[in-house]
Amino acid sequence: MTSLPEEQAGPVANEPFGSDTAAADRPLDRRLLNGLAKIGLASRHRAWQEAEGRGLTPTQGQVLAFLGQRRDAARLSDIVEALAVTPATASLVVDALTRKGLTAKARSASDARALAITLTEAGQREADRTAGWSDFLLAAVDTLTPAEQGIFLRGLVKMIRTLQEKDEIPISRMCVTCQYFRPNAHPETSRPHHCAFVDAPFGDPDLRLDCLDHEAAPTDQAERVWEEFIRAQ
Ligand code: SF4
């Protein structure tokens, strides 16, 4: 996957996919792409604003948010994989956060060659703030009905999984790649899927994009699960 060095990951030019003024002449997929790009632009712009206000860079904020949602210490390779940054960038960011007193580094108990990176108390507080950077989008999401949100989430899952397969975005701990996911195990009900981890049925609106209990399914199981998931609309 191509990664941008931190200093290149700044705001991008407005209208990255061109104007939508002739929307009626554009195919639907192009208009959807344009809409997603606008939301992405707003999200990046807010991240830069918030980060600057806290004396952080956006990547430092992303690392704090990533560490804040873990149950255990992270290795540098975890950060590289989750945020699609280079090892050199991850190392520089962690060094900067450690100098600010927001992260702590120690030798990993399970691998003496690896670092175990954790949040300090101040880092945890900052991570909690950072996790709210995208909350401004909630008001927009809440204008969708529950049914629209469920359809939107299912569409996002399909897009993210496709981009993951092409190595275009970091791996997400999604239901559709989890060994505990049983799609359409309860057909013709409002909660057709089953999570074998908690042994409970659930519907599309409860699909997870980043579940702490996720365990990656073996390739053959993942393929079967995916085919079953997309078979039923
Ligand atoms: S463990 Fe999490 S990711 Fe896996 S199926 Fe259950 S809810 Fe989904």
Side-chain angles (χ1 to χ4, degrees), residues 14-141:
N14 202 9
E15 299 290 3
F17 293 90
S19 163
D20 201 25
T21 48
D25 297 333
R26 284 170 167 261
L28 178 57
D29 57 355
R30 285 280 155 192
R31 278 176 280 146
L32 284 171
L33 192 59
N34 205 5
L36 287 172
K38 287 176 188 293
I39 293 170
L41 188 67
S43 186
R44 284 196 297 281
H45 183 65
R46 177 61 69 103
W48 272 93
Q49 275 184 329
E50 298 276 359
E52 200 172 36
R54 304 296 307 171
L56 299 168
T57 66
T59 309
Q60 289 171 4
Q62 287 178 329
V63 169
L64 288 174
F66 171 70
L67 294 174
Q69 66 186 8
R70 289 180 65 92
R71 293 181 179 136
D72 52 1
R75 292 169 302 175
L76 212 53
S77 58
D78 296 324
I79 295 172
V80 168
E81 186 178 318
L83 302 185
V85 293
T86 63
T89 297
S91 182
L92 283 172
V93 169
V94 170
D95 283 348
L97 291 171
T98 301
R99 281 196 301 276
K100 291 172 197 263
L102 300 175
T103 53
K105 295 188 290 185
R107 283 285 148 207
S108 166
S110 58
D111 180 355
R113 293 165 304 174
L115 283 177
I117 302 155
T118 52
L119 291 171
T120 62
E121 275 186 34
Q124 184 62 60
R125 286 194 295 276
E126 200 61 57
D128 292 343
R129 285 193 201 97
T130 304
W133 282 1
S134 55
D135 282 0
F136 76 102
L137 291 172
L138 272 178
V141 173

Side-chain angles (χ1 to χ4, degrees), residues 174-175 178 180-181 195 197 208 211 213-214:
M174 300 192 295
C175 290
C178 177
Y180 299 117
F181 186 48
C195 171
F197 184 79
R208 303 295 177 86
C211 174
D213 299 316
H214 175 275

Side-chain angles (χ1 to χ4, degrees), residues 173-182 194-198 200 202 206-215:
R173 294 171 292 187
M174 300 192 295
C175 290
V176 291
T177 60
C178 177
Q179 63 171 273
Y180 299 117
F181 186 48
R182 309 283 184 267
H194 195 89
C195 171
F197 184 79
V198 293
F202 66 101
D206 296 310
L207 286 166
R208 303 295 177 86
L209 295 180
D210 195 14
C211 174
L212 288 177
D213 299 316
H214 175 275
E215 294 281 347

